Amino acid sequence: MGRADAVNRRDDHPPLARAELPADTAALARYLVGKIVVRKLPEGVASGRIVETEAYVVGDAAGHGYRGMTPRNRSLFLERGHAYVYLAYGVSTMLNVSSEMQGIGTGVLIRALEPLEGIPIMRVNRGIERLRDLARGPGRLAQALRIDRSLDGLDLCREGPLWLTSDDHGLACDDHGPGEIGQSTRIGISKDADRPLRFYVRGSPFVSGPRSLNE
């Protein structure tokens, strides 16, 4: 069986079991690096390997759950493994994964993906050709996978329009598996900005952010 056949087999995309997900936000953010986001669309399946995440932990002034539950952020308070999707600054959609026990209000922002399959779909969704820029950043990846608020609250540990899976085959666009996981402060925040809660694949061209944070 060829590589393309392997990546397109449906049984290659079993959802992550919730029991596999660490019940600590920072640990989950690190754990999700190297896992795969799968998006089922009418045109086919598109997916990408997670190469960058940020954790928003308990007591974190930069987190959306810091001041408690609201109609906007209630998905963040679901049991770990659910999608929290919101619109940032009225422009960019962001995909987050709820990260602890129900009622806690913490999450992991998926910041960047390495495209794996459905790349022509992503190119149409983004309106660009350059592979590196299809999902390099949280707004770009949401646009590439056509993630919107209709997916807010979705169980990412169950197959559906959007879910998380493992990369058991080690597939990547450049035929190399994930490298060493780096850690840095988070990007684009002003509160609790000095916390080292961003995790990324060192040396990946698909990671977002300034070079100084990716070394």
Side-chain angles (χ1 to χ4, degrees):
M1 178 182 296
R3 175 181 165 188
D5 294 330
V7 80
N8 284 305
R9 286 176 55 195
R10 293 295 301 278
D11 59 357
D12 283 355
H13 297 316
L16 293 177
R18 204 175 322 278
E20 298 176 32
L21 305 181
D24 172 83
T25 303
L28 179 61
R30 185 181 180 90
Y31 172 84
L32 287 175
V33 175
K35 301 302 185 289
I36 294 175
V37 178
V38 182
R39 178 73 164 110
K40 186 178 179 183
L41 292 163
E43 308 96 301
V45 171
S47 71
R49 177 186 289 113
I50 298 170
V51 295
E52 183 184 1
T53 63
E54 286 181 345
Y56 290 84
V57 299
V58 174
D60 188 342
H64 284 193
Y66 182 65
R67 299 187 181 279
M69 188 186 301
T70 68
R72 177 176 180 252
N73 70 13
R74 59 188 176 187
S75 296
L76 193 59
F77 289 79
L78 295 172
E79 185 181 12
R80 68 188 185 279
H82 288 79
Y84 168 49
V85 181
Y86 69 91
L87 191 64
Y89 309 111
V91 176
S92 299
T93 303
M94 306 288 184
L95 171 63
N96 300 257
V97 182
S98 63
S99 58
E100 299 201 20
M101 295 175 59
Q102 185 167 349
I104 298 296
T106 53
V108 175
L109 173 65
I110 308 301
R111 278 202 58 90
L113 301 176
E114 174 185 355
L116 292 179
E117 61 183 314
I119 291 171
I121 297 173
M122 295 188 200
R123 283 177 166 145
V124 170
N125 289 340
R126 288 275 293 120
I128 64 169
E129 288 292 322
R130 192 181 187 201
L131 183 67
R132 180 172 181 255
D133 290 333
L134 288 180
R136 187 170 58 89
R140 290 174 174 178
L141 77 85
Q143 186 180 30
L145 297 182
R146 213 178 304 155
I147 294 171
D148 58 28
R149 286 277 297 161
S150 70
L151 301 174
D152 183 49
L154 194 72
D155 187 351
L156 299 175
C157 295
R158 178 180 298 177
E159 187 172 332
L162 182 73
W163 70 95
L164 296 168
T165 188
S166 294
D167 185 13
D168 294 332
H169 297 280
L171 295 171
C173 289
D174 59 1
D175 286 320
H176 294 288
E180 179 187 355
I181 296 178
Q183 188 171 353
S184 79
T185 55
R186 295 171 295 187
I187 295 173
I189 61 172
S190 57
K191 298 176 181 179
D192 280 345
D194 58 342
R195 297 195 185 204
L197 293 173
R198 173 177 170 265
F199 302 89
Y200 61 95
V201 177
R202 292 186 187 275
S204 171
F206 302 98
V207 170
S208 71
R211 181 175 298 178
S212 61
L213 288 182
N214 296 335
E215 297 176 348

